[in-house]
Amino acid sequence: MRAIQVSGPSADFELVHREIPEPGDYEVLIKVEACGVCHGDLIPIEGHFPGLTYPRVPGHEVIGIVEKTGLRVSSWMPGQRVGVGWHGGHCFYCSACRSGDFGACENAKVTGLSMDGGYAEYMIARPEVLISIPEELDPIAGAPLLCAGRTVFGALKESRAKGGDLVAIHGLGGLGHLALQYAAKFGFRPVVLSRGKEKEELALKLGAHCYIDTTAADGAKELNKMGGAAVLLCTAPDSKAISSLIGGLARRGQAVIVAGVSEMIEVSPLQLLMGERSIRGFAGGSLEETIDFSLRFKIMPMVEIFSLEEAPAAFGKMISSKVHFRAVLKMGA
C-alpha cells in the first residue's frame, strides 16, 4: 500500500510503500476513502507529542470501509463504512473511563500520533472509537467533520449562548466557515470578525448577521455597540487578535478557544472580574451528533481535493491558510 510518513522531527512528508497491516485481535483494518488535512498533523513534524515514535503516518479525519476485523471484534463487520477522528483509543480502567468520560482517558491514544493515521490507503484502528458513517454522507465532504466540524459544533453546543444571543466568530477559515453555519442553525445571531473585506460576501451568504473587518474597525468596540457577545468563538490562530477581542464580550460572556495557537494571550484580570467573563478551551464534542446535525441541516465544509501523493502540497496550503477551506486527501484520486 501507499502511505505518507514522517520519518522524524523536522522531516518532510515522504511517500512510501508498505505491506498492508494485519489487524490484531482487538483491531480493525480500514480501507481509507478520504482523510482530511488538519493543523494537528503538524505535531509529528514538530515532534513534541509524549511517546511519539517514528516513522509515523499522520491523519485523524478518516472515512473508509472496514476491510478486516480482529478475532475478538464483534461490533464491526467488513463492508461497513466507518469514521475515526482524533481520539484513537482509551483504556477503560482509569478514573475518567470508569466515569464514562473516555475523551479524558489518562492513557488515551491519538490517531496519527499514537498509531498510524489516514494518510495511507489502509490503516488500523481500535473498534471502540469507530463511528458508523451514513451512506448519504459523501466521504470527501464528511472527513473534515470528524475533527474540525466536531470541535466547533461541540464548542457552540456546550457554550453559554442561547437562541437569539450574539455569537462572535473570530476567523472565517476551515473552522470558522463551519462554525458560522452551525451558529446560524442553532438560532444564534452570528457575527464574523476577520481581516479584510474579501470574505464578507461569503460570511453573509453562510448566515452571518453582520461582518466586521478588523483592519478597518476595532472589533471589541463594534461588538459592544451591539450589546456585547455572549460567546466569542476563536477559530483563528492569532493570540494578539484574540486578546484584543476579549473586551467585546457581554457580561458573563465567554471566549471559547478552538484554534491551535501557542503564543500567550494577554488579558487584564479586571476584564474578567468586572464583567464576570471567562475564557476556556474546547477540543471535544460528539462525532455522531455532529454528523447527524450536519446532514439534517445540510451543513458541509468547503473542500479542496488532493491525491495522496499531493499530501505535502495539501498540508502546505493548509498551514499557510491558503486552502479553500479544508484540504482532503482522496485515495485513488
Side-chain angles (χ1 to χ4, degrees), residues 36-242:
V37 178
C38 185
H39 197 276
D41 300 335
L42 176 64
I43 297 175
I45 296 174
E46 293 180 335
H48 55 64
F49 187 79
L52 179 62
T53 59
Y54 295 94
R56 180 60 68 224
V57 175
H60 58 269
E61 294 181 339
V62 186
I63 291 180
I65 304 294
V66 174
E67 183 81 5
K68 189 175 183 180
T69 61
L71 293 175
R72 297 186 180 275
V73 175
S74 59
S75 52
W76 300 101
M77 299 293 292
Q80 288 183 282
R81 174 171 279 120
V82 295
V84 57
W86 177 265
H87 184 57
H90 42 271
C91 69
F92 292 102
Y93 59 80
C94 71
S95 59
C97 284
R98 290 199 302 273
S99 67
D101 190 2
F102 299 123
C105 174
E106 297 168 13
N107 305 291
K109 305 295 184 183
V110 177
T111 309
L113 295 177
S114 306
M115 70 279 286
D116 287 337
Y119 282 30
E121 293 177 306
Y122 293 87
M123 66 171 283
I124 296 290
R126 297 266 291 268
E128 73 267 20
V129 302
L130 299 180
I131 64 164
S132 179
I133 298 296
E135 286 299 321
E136 62 266 33
L137 180 61
D138 176 72
I140 300 297
L145 298 179
L146 297 173
C147 181
R150 179 209 62 164
T151 300
V152 295
F153 175 84
L156 290 169
K157 183 174 182 290
E158 296 190 20
S159 74
R160 294 178 180 175
K162 300 176 182 178
D165 281 349
L166 186 71
V167 171
I169 298 170
H170 174 224
L172 194 65
L175 292 171
H177 88 291
L178 283 169
L180 172 55
Q181 295 175 77
Y182 291 133
K185 293 302 182 182
F186 277 146
F188 302 148
R189 188 157 50 103
V191 174
V192 172
L193 300 102
S194 186
R195 294 177 58 84
K197 300 283 288 184
E198 60 271 13
K199 293 183 179 180
E200 181 174 13
E201 183 179 352
L202 176 62
L204 297 175
K205 180 180 179 181
L206 294 180
H209 173 69
C210 70
Y211 179 91
I212 299 172
D213 174 6
T214 56
T215 65
D218 184 308
K221 288 183 179 179
E222 293 301 312
L223 291 175
N224 283 322
K225 289 178 184 178
M226 291 180 272
V231 170
L232 168 65
L233 185 64
C234 306
T235 73
D238 186 336
S239 292
K240 184 176 180 180
I242 293 172

Side-chain angles (χ1 to χ4, degrees), residues 1-5 14-20 121 308-309:
M1 71 171 191
R2 297 173 303 150
I4 297 289
Q5 71 177 27
E14 58 179 332
L15 178 68
V16 297
H17 289 80
R18 298 181 174 185
E19 295 294 323
I20 297 175
E121 293 177 306
L308 180 61
E309 290 85 352

